[in-house]
Amino acid sequence: MLGNLRKYREIIISVALFLILDLSVLLVSSITTGQLESDAVAVNLASRQRELSQRIVKTLLQIQIAQNAGHSIDDPQNELATTFKIFDETIEGLRDGRLVTGGDYKTVMLIPVETDSAKVYLERAFLIWNPFKEKLFRVIAAKGTVPQEDLQDAVEYASNNNLLLLDLMNVITSEAEKKLSDKSNTLRTIQITGIIAALINFFILLFHFIRKLRSQDAEITRYSQNLEKMVSIRTRELRTAQEQLRATNISLEKAKYELEILNSQLEQKVEERTAELKNTQTQLIQSEKMAALGQMVAGLAHEVNTPLAFVKTNLEGMAEFQKEIFALIEESDKICEALKNDDMETLNEHLVQLAELQQRLKQNNVVQDIKDMLRESLTGMDRIQELVLNLKNFSRLDEAEFKYADIHAGIDSTLLIANNIIKNKAKVIKEYAPKLYAECYPAQLNQVFLNLLTNAVQAIEHDKGEIKIKTSIVDGYAVIRFSDNGKGIPKEHLNRIFEPFFTTKPVGQGTGLGLSICYQIIEKHSGMIQVESRVGVGTTFTIKIPIKQKRDGATVESIRSRASDLQMA
Amino acid sequence: MGTLSNILLVDDEPLLLSSLSRVLRLHYTVFTAENGAQALDIIQRHKIKVIVSDQRMPGMLGHELLGKVKDISPNTVRLLLTGYSDLDAILNSVNAGQIFRYINKPCSVEKLREMIELGVQIHDRIVSMQNDTKTATVAKPVVTDHVKSEIEPSATLLFVGYTPAEIQKLTSKINIRFNVEHATTIDEAFVALNRVSVSVLISDLHFGEHDGIDFLNTVKKEFPHTVTIILTDIIDATMAIRSINEVQVFRYITKPVSEELFARAVEEAVKKNRAYQATPHQNLKLTAESISPDQAFQTSAEKLRAKLVAARMAMTKSRS
């Protein structure tokens, strides 16, 4: 609003100025015009006074003539009275300003004369008029006939002063005319000035408007140019956006297409991955088996190494004794020879040497030693034989895979295999049932036993280790329990230990597959494996397998096939 | 024949003990123990010159037992029977200086007797030298490493078979008084060994056609006081055992090693070198010189020896 006001201020001021100017010109004009009218009346009436003064003289003369001729003087007398009245009120009006009878007998307002000279002339006119007025009044007031002397007096005064009065009236008239002319000049000047001012104002306004319009035009042009620019920018942007959109569209299309391809490939990939995974799993199971095998072989090597060491030592020892025994035999031969030849000298000589040899052998306890060496060596060889046999029993390579087997024999052969790791760490306590046979894959069960025994040994971190193996028959199931007094398994691990790859050992040691393989093997025997443990007290693994597998052929067949899967793995 | 030397055999297999006793009985008074505890009991009650222990035994492992024996009876020479299956234990015992020799199982009676005899000789030598030192210098205390290091502040280290960057990293924490020499090949190493007196030799085991242990053995023969540190990425029980049996290596360090740990090992090796120079009888290698190495080794070592001689001659020539 304020802005608008400011915006229109110039216009408002201009218009106000214009109006004020025009109005003032109009006002001045109208005032001046009014004055001019009055002045015109004054000029007219002043000029009429000359005629009136002439008529007064004329009517006086007419009255004189008529009276002289004896005629009625009424008409000239009336005319004189009227003329006198008009002249008198006019001259008074010129001095004081009053309503007088105009030229056409209408009443008009006469204003007094203004100029000093006019006033002086008017005073002089009154000095002439006032005595004339009285003389005339007597003429007018006479009834029927005017006294001659009055008439004469009036005519004489008239003829004496009429010209003077006439001149005065002339001067006043010209004064009034001059004033009128001055005023009309002033009016013209004012009007012209007003018009010029109005024109100037108009031009200023015009100029101002033009300028404003022009600047507005410029602004509009600029704005429109800006607009154009913006529009073009926006257009470009829009075009770019459009192109991008198109590109996006295309890439979306492409992505969609690729997605479709991927989708179509996904199934294939899933299959491939599954195969890979199976392969990896197979490899892992294989590596677990290799690790177990390596451990077993190392243990076995150590087991064989010990009897081998003392058998070898004994043989080396015997090889040393061999020289002395051979010497003894040689001497004996020589003695026999000497006896045959009856060579007593030689006989004696060799008998002495034989006695020496015998003495030395006895002293060195050779005979007893040889006995011991042979006995101990045979023991050693027996042990090696036993180990080899056990290895055979453990692996059961020469037996039917699925058979009715002695579980105790399996545990015992496993214990022998694992002896080297157990003997340093724990005492084994067996609590066997009188007899325990079950339908099973003995080699696989032995693998389970070895795993459980290894775990038990690893759990024992003190030198009072004990591993208890208890077997029993419960409801047609062979039940085998392995208990250790090791560190135990924390509760949070207990329900995860059969998960594949779960291990608490450092990376690189143990695949975390051992117990999961055990679980699979037992499951394939339609059995179950359970664990109980208390931290710091020990752990017990319980295996249950049916003594007789269900005779329904399908089951056995499925066990067989699953077991062979495992074997292959 | 006089009194027989006392030796102690430790094994958890009684039949092995009895078989060994029988073949050694004529030459030594043989004590036997079936476990570590029994062995320590015997060590405390009898003067045992040589102890031969199996590594794998219930209760106490062989290297643990020998570590304890070292404390109880430091002059007893310690031999370990091992089946090559206890790598960590072997490396640890090498670096703890617990073992004089490793013996592979099974071992021939002849070899075992040879080892035991060498052990007995070393024992006797050490004891007699200790007695000499005691009688000769009653008033003067044995020169300590501490005093020695103040008198002789500098030592030369020779690195063989490492890149300059590796050496720079390794030597970043070592004593700044030590001079560092380096050689990339065995020939360069021989030249350096002839040029300056090397206190500590730090060597890898990779040398192309030449066996690292043979190289170190050759050096040891010529410069018996030079202390050897093996720093290698070869983690191998056979190498570790040979490094002890043939070179009497001071430390067998496997890469990567922290600079601090290495600096400490070097510091200790320098001390050892000074101790050898002060009291040569402490140097078992010198004492053990009489033992003949394997035939195969000899031919290979001969070549190296020839190289060394050539290097020495070249050196002499250039000097004259």
Side-chain angles (χ1 to χ4, degrees), chain B residues 58-104:
Chain B
M60 193 188 295
L61 291 170
H63 77 272
E64 293 169 348
L65 169 65
L66 295 185
K68 285 179 181 168
V69 169
K70 189 191 179 191
D71 295 336
I72 296 166
S73 172
N75 288 339
T76 300
V77 174
R78 302 167 295 275
L79 308 177
L80 188 70
L81 275 169
T82 168
Y84 276 132
S85 54
D86 309 286
L87 180 62
D88 288 344
I90 290 166
L91 286 180
N92 286 337
S93 59
V94 166
N95 292 332
Q98 289 160 352
I99 316 277
F100 170 61
R101 284 287 190 276
Y102 289 90
I103 302 170
N104 294 329

Side-chain angles (χ1 to χ4, degrees), chain A residues 301-411:
Chain A
H302 190 270
E303 285 303 304
V304 173
N305 213 19
T306 304
L308 200 71
F310 66 78
V311 168
K312 191 173 174 243
T313 307
N314 284 337
L315 288 175
E316 282 177 331
M318 279 195 276
E320 283 173 8
F321 289 148
Q322 175 203 316
K323 276 183 256 163
E324 293 179 39
I325 290 163
F326 277 11
L328 197 73
I329 292 166
E330 208 176 305
E331 289 304 322
S332 305
D333 282 351
K334 279 174 183 162
I335 288 166
C336 285
E337 190 79 15
L339 275 173
K340 229 184 254 173
N341 299 342
D342 263 349
D343 183 351
M344 292 308 283
E345 203 180 322
T346 319
L347 181 71
N348 276 338
E349 190 189 318
H350 285 289
L351 276 174
V352 171
Q353 282 193 8
L354 184 72
E356 263 176 36
L357 276 171
Q358 276 176 333
Q359 176 64 25
R360 220 161 70 206
L361 284 174
K362 200 175 276 178
Q363 200 184 344
N364 289 348
N365 206 9
V366 169
V367 175
Q368 187 56 44
D369 272 6
I370 287 175
K371 274 187 196 166
D372 289 347
M373 282 168 167
L374 284 172
R375 195 190 66 242
E376 287 174 15
S377 296
L378 281 174
T379 312
M381 294 316 286
D382 283 347
R383 237 196 261 176
I384 292 168
Q385 189 185 9
E386 198 186 354
L387 281 165
V388 171
L389 193 69
N390 262 292
L391 188 61
K392 207 179 72 165
N393 284 345
F394 182 80
S395 66
R396 305 268 176 162
L397 287 174
D398 55 347
E399 290 176 21
E401 282 184 349
F402 189 75
K403 64 179 278 194
Y404 197 61
D406 185 354
I407 301 294
H408 290 153
I411 298 171

Side-chain angles (χ1 to χ4, degrees), chain A residues 116-135:
Chain A
D116 291 337
S117 59
K119 279 178 183 166
V120 171
Y121 290 135
L122 198 60
E123 278 307 311
R124 281 166 65 185
F126 266 105
L127 285 177
I128 295 166
W129 173 252
N130 282 340
F132 192 28
K133 208 166 122 181
E134 276 178 36
K135 294 174 192 342

Side-chain angles (χ1 to χ4, degrees), chain A residues 121-178:
Chain A
Y121 290 135
L122 198 60
E123 278 307 311
R124 281 166 65 185
F126 266 105
L127 285 177
I128 295 166
W129 173 252
N130 282 340
F132 192 28
K133 208 166 122 181
E134 276 178 36
K135 294 174 192 342
L136 284 176
F137 195 70
R138 277 192 304 268
V139 172
I140 294 163
K143 301 254 194 264
T145 51
V146 182
Q148 202 62 35
E149 53 203 59
D150 286 345
L151 189 58
Q152 198 59 39
D153 188 25
V155 171
E156 260 174 40
Y157 192 82
S159 57
N160 287 340
N161 291 305
N162 192 36
L163 275 176
L164 193 61
L165 194 64
L166 203 70
D167 282 345
L168 279 172
M169 281 298 131
N170 257 344
V171 175
I172 286 166
T173 304
S174 62
E175 274 288 318
E177 272 177 349
K178 200 177 149 223

Side-chain angles (χ1 to χ4, degrees), chain B residues 12-117:
Chain B
D12 61 327
E13 176 53 67
L15 293 182
L16 184 68
L17 288 176
S18 76
S19 72
L20 287 174
S21 306
R22 269 194 296 273
V23 296
L24 296 169
R25 201 176 52 206
L26 290 178
H27 307 92
Y28 307 100
T29 304
V30 180
F31 291 83
T32 60
E34 286 188 26
N35 56 53
Q38 276 181 24
L40 289 173
D41 188 47
I42 292 164
I43 285 276
Q44 271 159 343
R45 286 194 285 109
H46 302 276
K47 281 206 160 182
I48 302 294
K49 290 185 179 177
V50 176
I51 179 171
V52 181
S53 174
D54 187 28
Q55 167 65 6
R56 285 217 179 190
M57 291 185 297
M60 193 188 295
L61 291 170
H63 77 272
E64 293 169 348
L65 169 65
L66 295 185
K68 285 179 181 168
V69 169
K70 189 191 179 191
D71 295 336
I72 296 166
S73 172
N75 288 339
T76 300
V77 174
R78 302 167 295 275
L79 308 177
L80 188 70
L81 275 169
T82 168
Y84 276 132
S85 54
D86 309 286
L87 180 62
D88 288 344
I90 290 166
L91 286 180
N92 286 337
S93 59
V94 166
N95 292 332
Q98 289 160 352
I99 316 277
F100 170 61
R101 284 287 190 276
Y102 289 90
I103 302 170
N104 294 329
K105 231 167 118 180
C107 168
S108 75
V109 172
E110 192 193 350
K111 186 91 181 167
L112 185 67
R113 277 204 198 114
E114 209 172 77
M115 292 275 196
I116 291 171
E117 188 50 38

